[in-house]
Amino acid sequence: MPPAERVRAAWQRRPETDYIFEYWSALGWTVLTFGIYGLYVLYQLVRRMREHNIRRLELFDASIAVAWEEAGRRGVQDELRPSFERAAGHMAPLRQMTQDFREPVIWLALAAVARGIIEVVAFVLLDQDLVTHDRAEVGVEYEISVIYAALGQQVPLPDQSRVKASDNYVGRILATIFSFGIYLFWWYYNQMDQPNAHFRGNWPAEDALVRAVEALA
């Protein structure tokens, strides 16, 4: 598939990967099903972060390929090579994340036999994933913005302050233990809301990138 078509295909997959949680709805169904729906929630939390990362990696990779081809046609590849190389370096953590143990079905099975403990482990890993993913994304987005500006297309610069700090995992675990699990409800809310905000923050710049790719193609 040509790079420009890969960009559009990755963009069109957004409704499949960027699942938006409604906390109170999820909590209500969890209570009504005596906790069973909570297993589905954990499955979706793991699945959406993994699939979002894969989709964004493809979007970036293809949009960089479009820009590299266009730079070649204009004879400016050597001039822009440092930005392309830095973008490739920032994408390395995103590629590494695709190798991490994030198979949602297995996490679902583990949670079914060790409720509570598995959720805590998953929440720590998912928070680490979000921090690593967003930090790498900001770097890639910055270089893409520089590259596309040099090719006459405007792609917004990322807000570098958006990258969240890692949670205080020890504090959260202790709060969960000493509250007899009640704090876990707040932790669930954070695990839903923070990626929700991340996805929604991605979309406007992603739309602008697709328009820029189409203009070059």
Side-chain angles (χ1 to χ4, degrees):
M1 189 183 297
E5 292 184 21
R6 288 170 53 206
V7 170
R8 174 162 285 278
W11 176 68
Q12 290 174 334
R13 286 190 59 230
R14 187 161 74 193
E16 302 170 16
T17 65
D18 295 13
Y19 184 91
I20 299 297
F21 270 106
E22 299 296 337
Y23 176 73
W24 293 109
S25 175
L27 178 62
W29 280 108
T30 299
V31 171
L32 289 173
T33 60
F34 301 100
I36 294 175
Y37 189 81
L39 294 173
Y40 171 76
V41 170
L42 180 64
Y43 169 87
Q44 281 288 25
L45 287 172
V46 177
R47 185 201 68 82
R48 70 172 182 169
M49 194 67 238
R50 183 189 69 169
E51 295 302 311
H52 171 78
N53 180 71
I54 292 172
R55 184 184 71 82
R56 293 282 284 178
L57 178 60
E58 172 66 3
L59 181 83
F60 292 146
D61 188 65
S63 63
I64 289 170
V66 170
W68 181 252
E69 291 179 358
E70 182 64 21
R73 284 191 288 268
R74 300 187 186 193
V76 294
Q77 283 183 339
D78 288 340
E79 176 186 339
L80 294 175
R81 189 182 300 275
S83 286
F84 281 105
E85 291 176 347
R86 286 192 294 268
H90 290 303
M91 287 175 63
L94 302 180
R95 296 189 192 281
Q96 179 59 45
M97 287 178 66
T98 65
Q99 306 301 315
D100 293 340
F101 174 54
R102 299 293 185 272
E103 172 51 54
V105 174
I106 295 178
W107 281 94
L108 174 63
L110 291 172
V113 298
R115 293 300 297 272
I117 296 174
I118 293 302
E119 278 91 339
V120 168
V121 174
F123 289 176
V124 171
L125 293 177
L126 287 171
D127 183 73
Q128 292 174 344
D129 287 350
L130 180 58
V131 172
T132 300
H133 171 85
D134 203 17
R135 185 180 295 121
E137 272 195 336
V138 164
V140 179
E141 289 172 350
Y142 178 85
E143 298 303 335
I144 285 177
S145 178
V146 170
I147 291 167
Y148 273 80
L151 299 175
Q153 299 299 322
Q154 296 302 311
V155 177
L157 287 167
D159 177 9
Q160 299 193 31
S161 67
R162 80 187 194 203
V163 180
K164 71 180 291 293
S166 298
D167 285 347
N168 179 351
Y169 305 123
V170 173
R172 282 186 180 264
I173 291 170
L174 290 176
T176 300
I177 293 171
F178 288 114
S179 67
F180 301 100
I182 295 174
Y183 183 82
L184 201 58
F185 289 103
W186 176 251
W187 206 349
Y188 258 111
Y189 172 77
N190 292 153
Q191 286 299 317
M192 295 180 192
D193 185 63
Q194 290 169 353
N196 283 355
H198 171 79
F199 299 155
R200 289 179 172 130
N202 282 167
W203 296 344
E206 187 173 287
D207 293 343
L209 177 58
V210 172
R211 289 193 296 270
V213 167
E214 290 177 342
L216 292 183

